[in-house]
Amino acid sequence: MEQTGEDLMERRSGVALWRQVADRIRLGISNGTLGEGGRLPPEITLSQQFGVNRHTVRAAISALVQEGVLRAEQGRGTFVESRKRLAYPITTRTRFSTGLKDQTRARRVNLLRHVVEPAPTRVAEALQLEPGAPVHRLETLSEADGRCVSRGTSWFDATRFPGFADVFVETGSITASFARFGVDDYVRRSTLVSARHADAEDLDTLKLSPGAIVLVTIAINDDLDGRPIQFSETHFSADLVELTIET
Amino acid sequence: MEQTGEDLMERRSGVALWRQVADRIRLGISNGTLGEGGRLPPEITLSQQFGVNRHTVRAAISALVQEGVLRAEQGRGTFVESRKRLAYPITTRTRFSTGLKDQTRARRVNLLRHVVEPAPTRVAEALQLEPGAPVHRLETLSEADGRCVSRGTSWFDATRFPGFADVFVETGSITASFARFGVDDYVRRSTLVSARHADAEDLDTLKLSPGAIVLVTIAINDDLDGRPIQFSETHFSADLVELTIET
DNA sequence: ATAAATTTGTCCGTATGTATT
DNA sequence: GAATACATACGGACAAATTTA
C-alpha cells in the first residue's frame, strides 16, 4: 500500500491499467519525455512513476512489443523502435500518392469493398444530387511501405461515372480513374478535420490496438467547373500520420 | 454491409466491453447512424446489435450519461443531449475570436503564464532567429460559452515585440496586440495537424477526463512582408472542436 | 379509464479477467 | 507461480415509469 507518486492511473475507468500504462509510454515516446537515447527506463522505475505494480508495466511493455513500438532484450533493456510520422499535405491539389512520394518507397491503394447505393443525405448534399440518387461507394485501404496509413470511404455520382470501381481497380488511382472520364484535373474544395478513438472497423482495417486514435478528414473534391465529383471520409492512423496545411 | 450481431467487440483487449460499446455509441451519434430523432434504440436492441449483454450496454449508457452525452428517462427511453462540435476554420486569416463568432456567444482568451526565454531550436527555426535569442512564451487558455476549447503556447520575438505580454493582457487578443506594434495584418503561413492522447497538463487545463483526445496544431504566422512573427502550438479538445480547411 | 406492452432501473448469483502481494 | 481482492460480463427476475391499445 506504499505509493510514491499520486494515483496517476484511473481505476474502474473501463480501461485496464496495463493499457493505460501502455498509452502513457506511447505518449512519452512520441513527445520525447520518455525513451531518452532510444532506451526505456527499467521496469521498476516505470512502475514507481506510474504508481502500479511491475507486473502491470510488463503487461504494457509486452503489448507495445507486440505492436512493434518497443523491442525488449533480456539483460540489456527495452528499446524504442523509432519511426517518425508521415506528413500528409492538404492543399488544393491533394492526392494520396504524390503527397507521400518523397517520404516513402512504396505506396498502394487497395479496394476493400464496392457497392452502388442510394446516396445518403449528407452525401447527396455534398455532391449536389437528389437524395437517394445512385452513387458508387468505394472503401479503400492506403498503405505506404507496408504500413496501413489510412482507410477511406468515397462516394461518386454513379450516373456521371458509370463503372467507376472497375476503372479504379484497373488503374489503382483515383486521379487516373477521373482522367478516364475526361476529368483531367480536380481541386480540393473543403476539408474537415477531427479526431476520435478508432472504432472496431478502424482497429481491424488499420491493424491498430484498442485505444488508438484516428484523424478523420471529410473532404469534397470539385472538377474545374466547380462541380463536386467526390465526397470522402478518411481515417488516418494518428500514430503514423500528421496533416500539413499550406495556406 | 449489415452487422450480424456477433464478435463486433474485442474481448481480452485491455479495454472493457462497456467502454467499447460507449465509444461505438458516441461514434454512432456523431456520424448520425444512431440516435435517430434524438432517441437511442432500446437497450435490448443495442445489446443485440453489439452482441453483448444488456447490462453491458447499460454500463456504457451510464458512462455516457455521466459524461453528459446522453440522458435516460425511465419508461420513456434514452435521449441524445445534442451538442455539436465547434467548427474552427483554418485559413490564411485564422483568428480565434472571429472564427467562432457565429457559433458562440462569449469568447475569452486567458493568459495562464508568461516568460521570456531563450528560443528553443524549433522555435528559433520557425521564427528565423538565432538559437537562444530572447522570445516571449505565452501560454493561453481559450474559452467559448464557458467551455475550455483550447490551450495554446505561442512564441514571439522579444526584440521586435518588447512587452508583448503586457499588451496582450490589456487587449485580450493577439490580433489587437500585433496592431499596437504596427502589424495591422498577418497571415497563416503553415499549419501542421496531428492528434494524440491528452497529456497531464491538457487534462488539468482543459478539464478533460483521462483517455481524452486533443487535436494539436503547430502553426506559423507571417506579417505581410512574409516575415514570421508568431510560432504556436495549440491543443484543442477533440470532443469540442473540429477544424475546417477551405482551400 | 384500464390493461397491456415498452422501456429503464435494481437486485440476485455466477464465471472470468485483472492487479496486487 | 500462488493466493487474494476487485472489476468486468452475463443471465435471469422483477419493479417503476411511461406509452399505447
Side-chain angles (χ1 to χ4, degrees):
Chain A
M1 52 166 38
E2 226 279 285
Q3 207 96 290
T4 29
E6 312 304 304
D7 271 346
L8 294 168
M9 298 296 143
E10 297 265 322
R11 284 133 215 266
R12 282 181 295 282
S13 66
V15 181
L17 280 186
W18 65 264
R19 174 142 294 283
Q20 296 184 50
V21 171
D23 288 340
R24 295 277 299 253
I25 291 175
R26 216 200 320 252
L27 179 68
I29 291 169
S30 73
N31 67 20
T33 59
L34 217 61
E36 200 66 34
R39 187 178 186 282
L40 220 62
E43 292 168 357
I44 293 283
T45 310
L46 290 171
S47 72
Q48 286 163 354
Q49 272 181 26
F50 295 128
V52 300
N53 193 275
R54 173 166 166 260
H55 292 309
T56 310
V57 171
R58 283 184 58 74
I61 289 176
S62 148
L64 292 172
V65 167
Q66 197 68 23
E67 233 180 280
V69 176
L70 296 177
R71 168 177 39 87
E73 295 181 28
Q74 199 171 86
R76 283 177 27 90
T78 306
F79 301 88
V80 179
E81 296 278 19
S82 70
R83 43 179 179 176
K84 58 171 186 284
R85 279 183 187 151
L86 295 173
Y88 187 87
I90 291 185
T91 64
T92 49
R93 295 239 167 345
T94 297
R95 279 118 177 84
F96 178 75
S97 286
T98 49
L100 300 180
K101 196 180 290 181
D102 302 336
Q103 307 169 60
T104 55
R105 294 176 198 285
R107 296 156 303 280
R108 194 173 50 175
V109 181
N110 301 320
L111 183 62
L112 300 179
R113 213 188 330 260
H114 165 242
V115 290
V116 176
E117 63 178 12
T121 42
R122 64 168 187 158
V123 174
E125 243 170 63
L127 293 180
Q128 295 174 12
L129 301 173
E130 306 290 315
V135 289
H136 294 288
R137 188 181 80 205
L138 272 67
E139 298 182 20
T140 55
L141 170 65
S142 298
E143 293 174 295
D145 293 340
R147 294 181 297 177
C148 299
V149 168
S150 67
R151 165 173 97 82
T153 306
S154 291
W155 287 265
F156 307 87
D157 179 1
T159 308
R160 180 165 176 194
F161 304 107
F164 190 92
D166 300 325
V167 179
F168 176 77
V169 168
E170 195 186 324
T171 60
S173 148
I174 299 282
T175 307
S177 302
F178 275 139
R180 288 285 186 87
F181 288 95
V183 180
D184 292 322
D185 199 7
Y186 61 97
V187 295
R188 177 70 64 107
R189 177 202 288 179
S190 67
T191 310
L192 196 80
V193 180
S194 59
R196 50 180 77 142
H197 287 105
D199 63 28
E201 203 161 345
D202 293 328
L203 298 180
D204 184 43
T205 310
L206 297 174
K207 297 181 186 118
L208 300 172
S209 51
I213 300 174
V214 289
L215 270 169
V216 179
T217 65
I218 293 177
I220 300 176
N221 280 329
D222 286 355
D223 65 18
L224 293 189
D225 299 329
R227 284 186 304 175
I229 55 173
Q230 178 184 13
F231 176 74
S232 66
E233 171 168 338
T234 309
H235 294 208
F236 294 88
S237 166
D239 279 342
L240 256 50
V241 179
E242 59 194 6
L243 309 175
T244 60
I245 301 147
E246 310 290 328
T247 44
Chain B
M1 214 42 157
E2 201 46 49
Q3 34 192 33
T4 59
E6 295 302 322
D7 281 321
L8 292 167
M9 298 295 144
E10 305 250 332
R11 260 97 169 164
R12 286 179 289 287
S13 65
V15 180
L17 277 186
W18 65 263
R19 175 147 292 283
Q20 297 182 51
V21 170
D23 289 341
R24 294 274 300 249
I25 292 175
R26 214 200 321 256
L27 181 67
I29 291 169
S30 72
N31 69 19
T33 59
L34 218 60
E36 201 66 30
R39 188 177 185 281
L40 219 64
E43 294 168 353
I44 292 282
T45 311
L46 289 172
S47 71
Q48 285 162 353
Q49 272 182 24
F50 295 128
V52 300
N53 192 272
R54 175 174 163 244
H55 292 301
T56 308
V57 171
R58 283 184 57 73
I61 288 176
S62 154
L64 293 171
V65 167
Q66 198 68 24
E67 246 180 85
V69 176
L70 296 176
R71 169 178 39 88
E73 294 181 30
Q74 192 173 93
R76 283 176 37 85
T78 305
F79 303 87
V80 179
E81 292 279 22
S82 70
R83 29 162 204 175
K84 57 172 185 277
R85 281 184 189 157
L86 295 172
Y88 187 86
I90 292 186
T91 64
T92 50
R93 295 235 165 353
T94 298
R95 282 115 176 82
F96 179 74
S97 286
T98 49
L100 300 179
K101 194 181 288 177
D102 302 336
Q103 307 169 61
T104 56
R105 296 176 197 286
R107 296 157 302 280
R108 195 172 49 174
V109 181
N110 300 320
L111 183 63
L112 301 179
R113 212 191 331 261
H114 166 240
V115 290
V116 176
E117 63 179 11
T121 42
R122 65 167 187 161
V123 173
E125 242 171 63
L127 293 179
Q128 295 173 13
L129 301 173
E130 305 288 316
V135 289
H136 295 288
R137 188 181 78 206
L138 271 67
E139 298 183 18
T140 56
L141 171 66
S142 298
E143 292 173 296
D145 294 340
R147 293 181 298 177
C148 300
V149 168
S150 67
R151 164 173 98 82
T153 305
S154 292
W155 287 265
F156 307 87
D157 179 0
T159 308
R160 179 165 176 192
F161 304 107
F164 190 91
D166 301 325
V167 179
F168 177 77
V169 169
E170 195 187 324
T171 60
S173 147
I174 299 282
T175 307
S177 302
F178 274 139
R180 289 285 186 87
F181 287 97
V183 180
D184 292 321
D185 198 7
Y186 60 96
V187 296
R188 175 71 63 107
R189 176 202 289 179
S190 67
T191 310
L192 195 81
V193 180
S194 58
R196 50 180 79 145
H197 287 103
D199 62 29
E201 202 161 347
D202 293 328
L203 297 180
D204 183 44
T205 310
L206 297 173
K207 295 176 188 128
L208 300 173
S209 48
I213 300 175
V214 289
L215 271 169
V216 179
T217 65
I218 293 177
I220 301 175
N221 280 328
D222 287 355
D223 64 17
L224 293 190
D225 300 329
R227 284 186 305 174
I229 56 174
Q230 179 184 11
F231 176 75
S232 66
E233 171 168 337
T234 309
H235 295 207
F236 295 88
S237 167
D239 278 342
L240 256 51
V241 179
E242 59 194 7
L243 310 175
T244 60
I245 302 147
E246 310 290 328
T247 46

